[in-house]
Amino acid sequence: MNTKISKIIKCSIAEELEVEVGDSLISINGTEIKDIIDYKFLMADDYIEVEIEKKNGEIWTLEVEKDYQEDLGLEFENGIIDQARRCHNNCLFCFIDQLPPGMRKTLYFKDDDSRLSFLQGNFVTLTNMTDDDFERIIRYRISPINVSVHTTNAELRKKMLNNRFAGNIYERLEKLAAAGIRMNCQIVLCPGYNNGEELIKTVNDLYKLYPSIENVAAVPVGVTKFRKNLKDITLYDAHRAKAELDRISPFQKKALRKIGTPFIRLADEFYVLSGTEIPDTEFYGDFEQIEDGIGMIRFFRDSITKNLKKLNRKGKGSFSLITGVSAYKEIVWAAQAIEKKNNSIKINVHKVINDFFGPTITVAGLLTGQDIMKHIQPQSVFDYIIMPKNMFKSDENIMLDDVTAVDLEKYFNKQILLCDFTGEDLIQVINEHI
């Protein structure tokens, strides 16, 4: 296992004990460290014995007295220490199978690792693990975890995941619930497969495990133009999206009366497609599903409204906002609200159609640099260009097609400003440049 240490946190226990970058962590309390879960679990004590291999090959045994939850202050070359577990499903809706050739290698890696679910919020199917892996979740109390359920119909799940071992999902969810493991669940809705009455059955099954299952997110399947040699999938249109919202509404109302939450929420895309008004703020609770695109519009609206009072009323400036098709109307609304508050600020909003993946992909986070440069002429942009951070890698300002923020700045001859999806961030970025 690659337990080589890449960083020592300043003023940490490790720094005090003269552990160095390049050293390796061998064991804690005599237990070999296989991955980050071992490390986190074994750290939870007020006395530990740590075995370190120094860069010169010396073995140090360190006795550490500390607060129960205090960390050593180590970071590792690989965030989970060993390699992420590869997914062996062949889900009929898998987005990675619909990527074009020639992109960077990391984009083609399918992970299905419960450790990444715990650490980074990734969703896992619970199919690509041994019985021992599954028992470790319970033994180490890995909670919460995010589970890609899709359906509780065993035969249908085998078909959708194209995995003959995928049918035991409900049994595993029951076992996790009995052990006190908290879960969030996701359903990728594919019309003709797991929607409609199948969705209602799945939601009712999952509801039986509340509160261990805290909430369920349902998102529409995404289909790119590179979906070749794969089963045909029907996309959601306005009629199908409205039917899905209407069908799940009685369950949501019942859950709101009984537990104070709708339990299942559908992605904003269903509301946008069908022309249905976005639910009120209370419907989304603490917006815990926002990373799934659920409640993002409501959160953005609320944030703009709340933070408009922070807008600099005296400054001047002009900005171009770049977004995808699905968020375009909301961004235009926000731009108009800002201009109304300060008429010395000018904003234009550019809607970019996704030619790279195909026009059915409408979210801003899947836009590419080449489409931005294709659809927006340099002479049409204002003094600054504001782009959502989720168009870029989390740790590097590079887009899916390897176009960088610097490349875009050279093309437009304007400064690129990156912004989170909250209205507060947008107003802050504007204030800083007027």
Side-chain angles (χ1 to χ4, degrees):
M1 300 298 174
N2 183 10
T3 58
K4 189 169 287 188
I5 297 163
S6 62
K7 183 178 180 181
I8 306 294
I9 304 301
K10 190 173 179 60
C11 301
S12 64
I13 295 172
E15 183 182 62
E16 183 180 342
L17 294 174
E18 299 182 357
V19 180
E20 300 173 296
V21 171
D23 294 349
S24 295
L25 174 64
I26 300 174
S27 68
I28 296 177
N29 293 340
T31 300
E32 180 187 1
I33 302 300
K34 296 179 180 179
D35 60 26
I36 195 66
I37 301 301
D38 282 334
Y39 174 70
K40 294 288 187 184
F41 179 77
L42 293 167
M43 280 297 303
D45 208 339
D46 53 14
Y47 172 82
I48 57 175
E49 292 185 1
V50 181
E51 198 171 27
I52 296 286
E53 181 177 356
K54 300 294 289 179
K55 288 180 287 187
N56 62 7
E58 288 183 16
I59 304 297
W60 286 9
T61 300
L62 306 172
E63 297 180 357
V64 180
E65 291 185 1
K66 63 182 189 65
D67 292 337
Y68 186 82
Q69 294 291 349
E70 190 177 5
D71 195 89
L72 287 177
L74 303 177
E75 292 185 9
F76 302 94
E77 287 189 350
N78 186 329
I80 57 173
I81 297 182
D82 67 352
Q83 296 301 308
R85 308 280 170 79
R86 180 176 291 276
C87 179
H88 296 290
N89 301 318
N90 287 293
C91 300
L92 63 89
F93 49 81
C94 181
F95 195 82
I96 294 175
D97 289 340
Q98 303 177 74
L99 294 178
M103 302 178 76
R104 58 181 179 272
K105 289 182 180 180
T106 53
L107 294 174
Y108 300 99
F109 181 78
K110 301 181 189 179
D111 75 76
D112 194 26
D113 198 315
S114 59
R115 298 167 300 178
L116 291 176
S117 177
F118 175 64
L119 294 168
Q120 299 177 11
N122 296 23
F123 279 86
V124 292
T125 65
L126 300 181
T127 59
N128 294 289
M129 59 175 61
T130 65
D131 288 341
D132 183 61
D133 291 332
F134 185 76
E135 293 299 331
R136 283 179 84 226
I137 295 176
I138 295 172
R139 184 168 70 249
Y140 283 180
R141 309 288 299 170
I142 301 174
S143 182
I145 62 170
N146 299 323
V147 184
S148 290
V149 174
H150 310 309
T151 178
T152 53
N153 179 329
E155 293 306 313
L156 177 59
R157 194 168 194 264
K158 291 177 188 177
K159 180 179 178 181
M160 292 187 70
L161 274 62
N162 196 21
N163 185 334
R164 62 191 177 94
F165 300 110
N168 66 346
I169 181 63
Y170 200 69
E171 174 189 331
R172 287 199 150 180
L173 293 175
E174 286 181 308
K175 191 168 183 178
L176 291 173
I181 304 299
R182 293 180 295 115
M183 294 167 279
N184 304 301
C185 294
Q186 183 193 66
I187 300 170
V188 176
L189 284 173
C190 304
Y193 286 92
N194 62 337
N195 68 317
E197 292 307 313
E198 284 291 348
L199 172 62
I200 299 299
K201 176 189 180 300
T202 295
V203 173
N204 276 294
D205 286 343
L206 298 177
Y207 183 66
K208 295 172 186 175
L209 300 180
Y210 177 86
S212 294
I213 293 180
E214 298 177 333
N215 56 67
V216 180
V219 302
V221 62
V223 174
T224 80
K225 68 181 182 182
F226 300 100
R227 188 177 176 83
K228 297 177 181 178
N229 302 317
L230 299 170
K231 289 184 179 180
D232 290 337
I233 288 185
T234 302
L235 288 171
Y236 276 98
D237 57 15
H239 174 74
R240 294 189 188 94
K242 182 67 163 58
E244 216 70 84
L245 290 170
D246 290 344
R247 192 177 290 112
I248 204 66
S249 178
F251 176 92
Q252 292 173 318
K253 290 176 180 177
K254 181 182 72 173
L256 278 165
R257 287 194 304 270
K258 289 189 172 182
I259 62 175
T261 168
F263 186 66
I264 178 173
R265 301 177 181 92
L266 273 60
D268 292 3
E269 192 170 345
F270 287 97
Y271 296 91
V272 173
L273 269 175
S274 64
T276 304
E277 180 55 37
I278 296 291
D280 293 337
T281 304
E282 293 74 17
F283 181 84
Y284 293 104
D286 293 328
F287 291 91
E288 59 269 22
Q289 298 166 304
I290 199 164
E291 295 296 335
D292 281 316
I294 293 176
M296 192 174 286
I297 290 175
R298 173 55 63 195
F299 188 89
F300 181 75
R301 287 183 190 174
D302 289 352
S303 187
I304 287 289
T305 302
K306 179 181 177 181
N307 288 281
L308 267 177
K309 60 177 181 262
K310 298 179 182 178
L311 183 69
N312 184 335
R313 300 286 297 276
K314 297 181 180 179
K316 294 182 179 181
S318 63
F319 302 84
S320 292
L321 276 57
I322 296 177
T323 189
V325 173
S326 61
Y328 176 71
K329 289 183 179 179
E330 294 300 322
I331 303 301
V332 168
W333 168 82
Q336 291 172 345
I338 291 169
E339 288 180 328
K340 185 177 179 180
K341 196 74 172 176
N342 178 347
N343 57 20
S344 294
I345 296 174
K346 302 300 177 187
I347 303 174
N348 62 5
V349 182
H350 296 274
K351 175 174 60 179
V352 178
I353 296 171
N354 199 323
D355 291 331
F356 186 86
F357 288 114
T360 59
I361 304 300
T362 60
V363 296
L366 290 175
L367 287 175
T368 58
Q370 59 192 267
D371 278 341
I372 288 171
M373 292 186 285
K374 175 181 177 182
H375 288 283
I376 304 175
Q377 298 303 313
Q379 62 268 25
S380 70
V381 300
F382 286 163
D383 292 341
Y384 296 98
I385 299 173
I386 300 178
M387 298 175 63
K389 285 182 180 178
N390 66 356
M391 288 186 184
F392 298 84
K393 284 182 67 178
S394 60
D395 59 345
E396 190 177 359
N397 289 340
I398 185 170
M399 302 186 76
L400 287 168
D401 58 348
D402 291 339
V403 172
T404 66
V406 173
D407 294 332
L408 292 173
E409 287 182 329
K410 290 178 179 177
Y411 177 78
F412 290 110
N413 195 29
K414 304 290 183 182
Q415 184 179 351
I416 301 292
L417 309 174
L418 300 187
C419 179
D420 283 332
F421 53 75
T422 71
E424 180 180 11
D425 291 327
L426 177 58
I427 289 171
Q428 181 179 333
V429 166
I430 289 173
N431 277 341
E432 289 172 353
H433 293 87
I434 58 177

